Amino acid sequence: MRPFDLPLGFKYATAYGGIRKQEKDDLALIVSGVPAAAAAVFTTNKVQAAPVRLARANMRASKGVCGAILVNSGNANCATKSGDKVAAETTKALAKLLKLQPNQVLSASTGVIGVELDGNLILSKLQTMVDNLRDDGLPDVARAILTTDLQPKGHRARLRCVAGLCASRVLPKAPA
């Protein structure tokens, strides 16, 4: 992904939080310069991870306005006792650092199901990620969210809008 392929106004950061056993980035952050209009597609599966439920609720409460997306990989934060607490605590802490409303932060997790996620692994890296936000970091985000994927996937679109040319990027987790 070349820098000029990226939508303007977004910054990205990654970090290794210790969620994965292999020492490579397992946390990713996408931040909009101003809270942006967002759209999301959520699973309809009966079993839904805590971040999915929270992101859906936040999208509804914010009326589709999003300022940041926080992703962890290596642990799906699904089918656990503490999942809801971890998702809520990490998104609230990030919202505070970014001076956003908590419902303007979306959470996402990918990885192993049924294993408790230590929220401190994420909380301890939030300030570092905020301090390291940069406008050319989307490729690093794509790599950080890899689990069983062999290589990062991404799609882009350019649309004519009332304001001119608009750009969009998608980092799918399902087969592209």
Side-chain angles (χ1 to χ4, degrees), residues 75-159:
N75 185 313
N77 197 17
C78 180
T80 64
K81 292 179 184 178
S82 63
D84 292 318
K85 180 181 176 203
V86 169
E89 284 179 352
T90 56
T91 55
K92 284 179 187 171
L94 180 60
K96 185 175 181 180
L97 287 173
L98 296 173
K99 296 178 177 53
L100 293 170
Q101 295 298 314
N103 65 16
Q104 293 178 337
V105 176
L106 302 182
S107 59
S109 295
T110 181
V112 178
I113 295 172
V115 175
E116 294 291 335
L117 175 59
D118 180 355
N120 290 320
L121 296 174
I122 300 170
L123 292 169
S124 68
K125 294 297 181 176
L126 291 180
Q127 185 66 60
T128 299
M129 288 197 300
V130 170
D131 292 345
N132 291 322
L133 285 165
R134 52 186 231 273
D135 59 8
D136 64 348
L138 185 60
D140 295 333
V141 168
R143 283 187 291 277
I145 67 171
L146 291 176
T147 49
T148 58
D149 311 290
L150 298 178
Q151 62 186 18
K153 296 182 288 291
H155 299 286
R156 71 177 183 177
R158 293 175 191 255
L159 311 163

Side-chain angles (χ1 to χ4, degrees), residues 17-92:
I19 297 167
R20 299 181 205 237
K21 291 177 184 163
Q22 183 182 11
E23 193 168 331
K24 65 180 189 175
D25 289 348
D26 51 16
L27 298 171
L29 177 59
I30 301 172
V31 177
S32 175
V34 295
V41 178
F42 296 104
T43 184
T44 56
N45 194 322
K46 289 184 180 190
V47 177
Q48 297 181 10
V52 172
R53 293 190 302 270
L54 180 60
R56 180 186 284 117
N58 284 356
M59 283 288 287
R60 190 175 299 121
S62 71
K63 296 182 172 56
V65 175
C66 177
I69 302 171
L70 175 62
V71 185
N72 75 269
S73 65
N75 185 313
N77 197 17
C78 180
T80 64
K81 292 179 184 178
S82 63
D84 292 318
K85 180 181 176 203
V86 169
E89 284 179 352
T90 56
T91 55
K92 284 179 187 171

